Structures are given as structure tokens and as C-alpha cells.
Amino acid sequence: MSKKLRIGIIGSGGIAQGCHMKGYASMPDLCEMVAVCDVNPETAKTAADKYEVKKTYTDYRTMLAEAELDAVSVATPNAYHMQPTIDALAAGVHVLCEKPLAMNADESRKMCAAARESGKILQVALQQRFTGQARFMKQFIDGGNMGDIYYARAQALRRRGVPAWGVFIDKEKQGGGPLIDIGVHILDFTLFLMGYPKPVSASGKTWDTLGKNPDLVNPWGEYDRAKFTVEDFAVGLIKFDNGSVVVLESSFMANLDGDPFQTQLFGTKAGAIVKGWGESPIEIFTEQNRQLFNMKPTNIPQVESAHVDEVKAFVDAILHDKPSPVPGENGLILNAIFDALYRSSETGKEESVDISY
Ligand SMILES: NC(=O)c1ccc[n+]([C@@H]2O[C@H](COP(=O)([O-])OP(=O)(O)OC[C@H]3O[C@@H](n4cnc5c(N)ncnc54)[C@H](O)[C@@H]3O)[C@@H](O)[C@H]2O)c1
């Protein structure tokens, strides 16, 4: 290859330094981080120093105008995903944007339209698809071994896990609570395994009583209960045009045992529980010759970092003219489902899900 990809970072806080920059740094022959931007100059400097990036900016527009970039990671808080993404795409720059794609489906629509117009890649940073479990299960399901998956129960539940840093409890900057923050991962994982059916309607309910209660312990850090404007628990039932249904549960705080992050798939030939982590993260339930089996696979691919692999997939797609490994349209579907669930919690009714753009 004659030229390395020139990479810029927009928002260089926790996830940028811990995952995106680590990913780019793992491919020194293919790409070079040439500029880092953060509205906080100290954060930009810390990130740049850590990865030996020469140039820092506090305004991403200046960076886009000056740095001659091929691609950027957008790793800002959710409220600041849309504009930098649209501006980068309009400047002919590929974008790897953090999850959720946007605050809501209207923003996602604009981002998908900008990608379509520019012909550049828009990838959503949903790294669960790059785990060993996802790779194993995708192959198993695509081989027809589960039959039709008609129902799934997806859970991203924390007993006491309110992120006390950043803006995770601020609805204005995040768009929502656990549903949009961690529910997004398990729902994407589940829909990815189900072949991303088209959602048609959703009904749900959210609560915020525990998150606002100052008497409850939060081992993830102290936070101002008066500033807790997101939900602490959400449940949703989502219907798809192929007749399948997903029930999604997500919490920052709930009275339960442990912090389950898993999906349970129900197919006509087999069922499965797939966990986000643990010694034996996949268990498959099936019947052969009127005998019932529980199976634990022993050759699940070992993946060192799903985050790094998602960045590698982004770079590979750019270099080899491949479609987006996690298309913006999937991010739009997730946002449209969350919009419908939040709406349903207010109206008390089942709401339609619109994924057009
Ligand atoms: N994929 C995952 O597993 C995962 C994990 C954590 C966070 N995230 C996502 O990453 C995003 C950032 O989260 P974080 O934990 O890194 O937060 P963070 O607060 O550590 O970092 C965000 C950075 O963006 C900067 N910023 C804000 N507005 C900006 C702007 N307009 N231009 C440039 N910089 C700006 C902030 O100063 C901050 O340094 C969120 O969307 C979050 O949902 C994803």
C-alpha cells in the first residue's frame, strides 16, 4: 500500500483512549493517528501524548479543515455524535461513531443520509459483534442449526452500576439511561444473531425510583441524585415484521442477583443462552431422536479485544472498499426502537417503529 490512512479522533476521553486509539495503534503499517481533538485541551493533550500523536485541536471543524484526514472516530458524549459525524462525512472522511449512534432516530436518520450522500463508511461502535461468542453463534445460526429464531430475551442488567462519571445520568446529553447506554449492546447483539429483522412496533415501561434514592449504595461512585434525569430500569417488548419478538430488560440499578448481560434465543430447532463473559458463555439446548441435550461448545474463538477488532474491521473496510462492518442503518433501527419504548412508557400504548430515512 502506498499511503497509510490518516486518522483523527473527535472526543478523546475514556473510550477513545482505552479502545479506539489502542485499535489504530495496533496497525502501524496501515494507519497513522495524525490529530486528536477534544473540547478539553488537557484531555486532547493527554491522549496525544499517550499515543504520540503530533497535533491536537479543540475544534473538530478546524481539524477536519486542516489535517487531511481519511477517517475519524467520533467518541464524544451521545449529544455530540451527530454534528461531527455529518460534518466529517460531508468532508469525505469515513466515520467510526460510538454507540448509540445518536440521541434519537431523527438524528440517526440525518447521519445515515449523510453517509449515503457521501459514499463514505459510517460504522457504529457496537463491539459485541466482534466477540468470540458472536462469531461462534453467528456461524452456528447461519448454518441453520437453530431453525427460525422466533423469540429472544435480552438482558443488560446491573444490580448497582450507575456510571457516576461523565454525563451518563443526564438525559439531555445521553438521550436516556441504561436502555440507550447498555441495552443498546445486548439488543444489537441479539438482533445481529437474529439477522436484523425489521421492527414494526414496541411497548415498554421505564422507572427511575432507585436511581433517585440517596439512601441506596452505588459502588461505581457517588453522584448527585437530584441530577439523575434518566431511567434506572427499562423493559420493552419489540415486534418484528417476520413475526419474531424480543423482550429487552436493562438497568443501572435493580434488586437482583448479579449483573446479567446475556441473550436467550428460542429457535424452532434449538435454543441458546449466550453470555457476555464467563468461563462457559454459550449453552445450547436441543432435541435429537426424542432425546434432550444441553451442549457447551469448547472451541469458541478467543478474542483479545472486541474493541480493537472493531477498529481493525473499520480500517479493513476502508482499505478494501467493503461495506460498513456495522452499518449506520443498524444504529438507526436501535434508536428508533428506543424512541418507541420511551414514547410507549409515557403513552401507555404500543408505539410504531419507523426506520425509514
Ligand atoms: N462501546 C462501548 O462499550 C462504550 C463504552 C463507554 C463509552 N462509550 C460511548 O463513548 C462515548 C464517550 O464516552 P466516554 O466514556 O469516552 O466519555 P468521556 O467523557 O470519557 O469522553 C468524551 C470526551 O468527549 C469530549 N467532547 C465533548 N464534546 C466534544 C466536542 N463537541 N468535540 C470534541 N470533544 C468533545 C469531552 O471533553 C470528553 O473528553 C459515549 O457515546 C458513550 O456511549 C462506548
Side-chain angles (χ1 to χ4, degrees):
M1 199 188 73
S2 55
K3 173 181 164 283
K4 290 182 193 181
L5 291 180
R6 291 172 64 82
I7 308 289
I9 307 293
I10 303 178
S12 56
I15 197 74
Q17 291 182 40
C19 301
H20 291 249
M21 298 182 80
K22 195 172 165 193
Y24 295 119
S26 75
M27 298 172 281
D29 295 342
L30 302 180
C31 59
E32 184 184 4
M33 285 179 278
V34 294
V36 172
C37 170
D38 200 288
V39 285
N40 182 338
E42 281 163 26
T43 308
K45 186 174 179 330
T46 304
D49 288 351
K50 194 164 164 187
Y51 289 96
E52 297 177 355
V53 184
K54 291 200 182 94
K55 197 94 180 100
T56 62
Y57 292 88
T58 50
D59 185 338
Y60 75 85
R61 292 179 186 86
T62 317
M63 179 173 85
L64 288 174
E66 290 182 3
E68 297 178 3
L69 301 172
D70 296 302
V72 290
S73 275
V74 173
T76 45
N78 301 349
Y80 312 109
H81 286 182
M82 179 181 72
Q83 205 54 53
T85 296
I86 290 176
D87 291 345
L89 289 165
V93 172
H94 302 280
V95 177
L96 172 58
C97 179
E98 259 309 330
K99 51 53 56 171
L101 181 57
M103 299 280 279
N104 51 53
D106 280 345
E107 289 191 0
S108 282
R109 272 186 193 97
K110 291 178 190 156
M111 296 160 86
C112 288
R116 187 165 57 189
E117 223 160 274
S118 71
K120 298 294 169 187
I121 289 174
L122 171 57
Q123 178 177 336
V124 195
L126 289 158
Q127 76 276 3
Q128 290 302 322
R129 298 183 188 200
F130 297 91
T131 58
Q133 296 91 300
R135 289 168 200 217
F136 185 95
M137 284 308 297
K138 190 71 180 149
Q139 195 180 337
F140 187 74
I141 291 166
D142 288 352
N145 298 296
M146 300 258 311
D148 293 328
I149 300 173
Y150 54 89
Y151 176 62
R153 189 194 301 155
Q155 295 177 309
L157 293 168
R158 291 183 191 152
R159 182 172 183 165
R160 294 286 184 273
V162 179
W165 59 91
V167 296
F168 292 94
I169 61 168
D170 182 347
K171 176 121 181 153
E172 291 290 306
K173 298 225 167 73
Q174 275 289 104
L179 184 62
I180 202 164
D181 185 45
I182 52 176
V184 71
H185 278 305
I186 201 65
L187 184 58
D188 175 66
F189 185 71
T190 303
L191 297 185
F192 172 65
L193 294 179
M194 293 172 77
Y196 252 91
K198 184 178 171 223
V200 288
S201 65
S203 54
K205 172 97 177 115
T206 66
W207 292 263
D208 63 3
T209 317
L210 274 61
K212 286 184 185 302
N213 185 345
D215 296 332
L216 299 182
V217 65
N218 184 51
W220 288 32
E222 260 322 306
Y223 64 94
D224 185 349
R225 292 335 194 240
K227 291 190 174 149
F228 189 90
T229 53
V230 297
E231 79 279 1
D232 58 43
F233 191 103
V235 61
L237 185 143
I238 308 140
K239 292 181 186 163
F240 297 86
D241 72 344
N242 64 359
S244 61
V245 167
V246 172
V247 164
L248 171 66
E249 297 172 359
S250 191
S251 70
F252 281 162
M253 264 200 186
N255 290 317
L256 80 160
D257 185 24
D259 299 326
F261 182 88
Q262 63 181 40
T263 194
Q264 195 165 358
L265 303 168
F266 296 78
T268 49
K269 284 194 192 168
I273 291 184
V274 191
K275 297 182 179 169
W277 47 79
E279 283 234 330
S280 209
I282 299 176
E283 196 168 4
I284 294 166
F285 313 102
T286 186
E287 173 176 338
Q288 281 172 28
N289 304 323
R290 301 181 64 78
Q291 291 177 311
L292 300 175
F293 294 87
N294 288 14
M295 306 188 296
K296 289 186 179 174
T298 55
N299 63 338
I300 301 168
Q302 294 300 308
V303 172
E304 207 179 307
S305 165
H307 284 287
V308 167
D309 283 7
E310 97 186 331
V311 179
K312 284 185 175 168
F314 178 55
V315 166
D316 179 62
I318 297 170
L319 290 175
H320 299 105
D321 227 1
K322 293 182 182 171
S324 171
V326 185
E329 285 79 3
N330 289 172
L332 166 58
I333 286 178
L334 296 166
N335 270 127
I337 290 172
F338 299 143
D339 285 1
L341 291 176
Y342 285 130
R343 251 189 351 261
S344 168
S345 184
E346 287 190 356
T347 61
K349 294 184 181 140
E350 186 170 354
E351 296 284 335
S352 61
V353 179
D354 176 12
I355 59 163
S356 61
Y357 77 97

